[in-house]
Amino acid sequence: MVRLLPKEVKFFEMFEQMSSNLVLGASEITELLREFKDTADHVKRIKEIEHAGDDITHAVFVKLNSTFITPFDREDIHLLASSLDDVLDFINAAADRIMLYKITAAPAAAYEIAKIIVKQAEALGRAVKNLEKLKDVLPHCVEVNRLENEADRVCREAIGRLFDTEKDPIALIKIKELLEVLETATDKAEDAANVLETVVLKSA
């Protein structure tokens, strides 16, 4: 008689850690963009959060390579971990731009997009929390996708205004790049939501 091995469920716990860490990173960049006070401290904390995220992502990959039976497809586990990590990477990239380009102020749209990233991170957290039971995951994925569309609109409109009002071409390039990096973080959150949706649909 073949003995059935239990599925390794620790992945769900690790994904919850990743999503919680992502909320921290998103909240930190939002606070930075709100007032541009204590910028260096915020950037330092974002880097610490991003490093913690890298550690969790690495742990997922190590666990994946050493686990015989996974709770869902290996490829999807890898994609979900990578996608969640990508969001944090672009949050960190935005913080890097602020320091590198010595940005001391940004359009209100940058703060608005950062707040959208927080909402996406929270929605992803709720989806991940429900993933093990495969219940009430899809509505949160839909919300993440809706928020990405909102961020895309905010970014497009802000860049349009920037070209109309900013007379300094160097400043224009700096702010445009910051806005685009923040918007890309929302794209990566949508990628994570799409992976979650795939996992649910495959299990239906």
Side-chain angles (χ1 to χ4, degrees), residues 123-143:
L124 286 170
R126 290 190 291 271
V128 166
K129 192 175 183 63
N130 294 336
L131 187 58
E132 185 174 358
K133 294 182 179 179
L134 295 171
K135 184 179 179 182
D136 296 328
V137 174
L138 294 182
H140 302 301
C141 296
V142 171
E143 176 65 3

Side-chain angles (χ1 to χ4, degrees), residues 52-190:
D54 284 344
D55 289 342
I56 303 169
T57 304
H58 178 69
V60 171
F61 294 158
V62 170
K63 188 73 176 171
L64 188 58
N65 288 331
S66 63
T67 300
F68 185 64
I69 300 180
T70 56
F72 51 93
D73 285 355
R74 290 174 179 276
E75 180 184 74
D76 292 331
I77 290 174
H78 194 284
L79 281 172
L80 181 55
S82 297
S83 299
L84 290 170
D85 188 55
D86 283 346
V87 185
L88 205 46
D89 284 345
F90 277 91
I91 290 171
N92 184 56
D96 276 343
R97 298 303 192 283
I98 290 168
M99 288 297 288
L100 179 65
Y101 298 158
K102 298 180 172 60
I103 297 173
T104 56
Y111 176 57
E112 290 301 313
I113 296 171
K115 289 196 294 183
I116 289 171
I117 299 170
V118 172
K119 291 178 182 177
Q120 285 184 310
E122 291 172 343
L124 286 170
R126 290 190 291 271
V128 166
K129 192 175 183 63
N130 294 336
L131 187 58
E132 185 174 358
K133 294 182 179 179
L134 295 171
K135 184 179 179 182
D136 296 328
V137 174
L138 294 182
H140 302 301
C141 296
V142 171
E143 176 65 3
V144 172
N145 293 338
R146 184 193 70 78
L147 288 165
E148 190 281 328
N149 290 334
E150 183 180 339
D152 187 49
R153 176 189 59 77
V154 171
C155 185
R156 281 199 318 270
E157 291 176 358
I159 290 175
R161 287 192 298 270
L162 195 62
F163 276 96
D164 287 339
T165 59
E166 183 55 67
K167 305 306 179 186
D168 181 348
I170 302 300
L172 187 151
I173 291 168
K174 290 177 179 180
I175 298 301
K176 177 176 178 289
E177 188 171 330
L178 175 63
L179 290 167
E180 288 175 339
V181 169
L182 288 167
E183 201 280 326
T184 301
T186 71
D187 292 339
K188 298 303 180 182
E190 184 178 40

